[in-house]
Amino acid sequence: GSTASLKDVEISDIKIYPNPVDNQFRIELPNNDFSEYQLKIVSILGKVVHQQKELSKNSIDVSHLHIGIYFLQLTKENKQKTIKLIKR
């Protein structure tokens, strides 16, 4: 069998809160190592509504987004995690 690498474990341990979100949410990373992550927020229609090439902090402002369902995509190297984000 295959063993999960540390990177797999890292990206699967990402949490965001609060969700549903009003104006901003926080991202919780296992090592608080934000620099290697890219962030995208994609609408349900597939349009990128927010993008950051490099995370500088764990708090993301989404006050400009309309109410609805979005998908938060966090990418590190070739690993990606998608989290459903509800804006209220």
Side-chain angles (χ1 to χ4, degrees), residues 7-24:
K7 287 180 179 144
D8 291 331
V9 173
E10 273 178 31
I11 204 154
S12 67
D13 286 345
I14 295 168
K15 296 180 181 65
I16 64 167
Y17 60 91
N19 189 9
V21 57
D22 291 313
N23 293 319
Q24 62 177 22

Side-chain angles (χ1 to χ4, degrees), residues 3-79:
T3 56
S5 74
L6 191 60
K7 287 180 179 144
D8 291 331
V9 173
E10 273 178 31
I11 204 154
S12 67
D13 286 345
I14 295 168
K15 296 180 181 65
I16 64 167
Y17 60 91
N19 189 9
V21 57
D22 291 313
N23 293 319
Q24 62 177 22
F25 65 88
R26 297 176 79 83
I27 300 175
E28 199 173 276
L29 296 176
N31 300 331
N32 282 330
D33 180 18
F34 294 96
S35 60
E36 295 182 30
Y37 286 88
Q38 293 182 8
L39 174 135
K40 256 187 210 172
I41 299 176
V42 182
S43 75
I44 209 146
L45 301 172
K47 181 176 173 229
V48 176
V49 292
H50 183 87
Q51 188 166 358
Q52 280 176 244
K53 286 280 183 232
E54 208 170 84
L55 290 180
S56 53
K57 58 188 192 309
N58 66 344
S59 173
I60 310 293
D61 182 359
V62 289
S63 56
H64 61 286
L65 295 184
H66 296 294
I67 291 169
I69 295 171
Y70 296 88
F71 296 99
L72 172 73
Q73 295 175 346
L74 278 166
T75 310
K76 179 182 177 179
E77 293 157 7
N78 58 350
K79 309 258 188 311

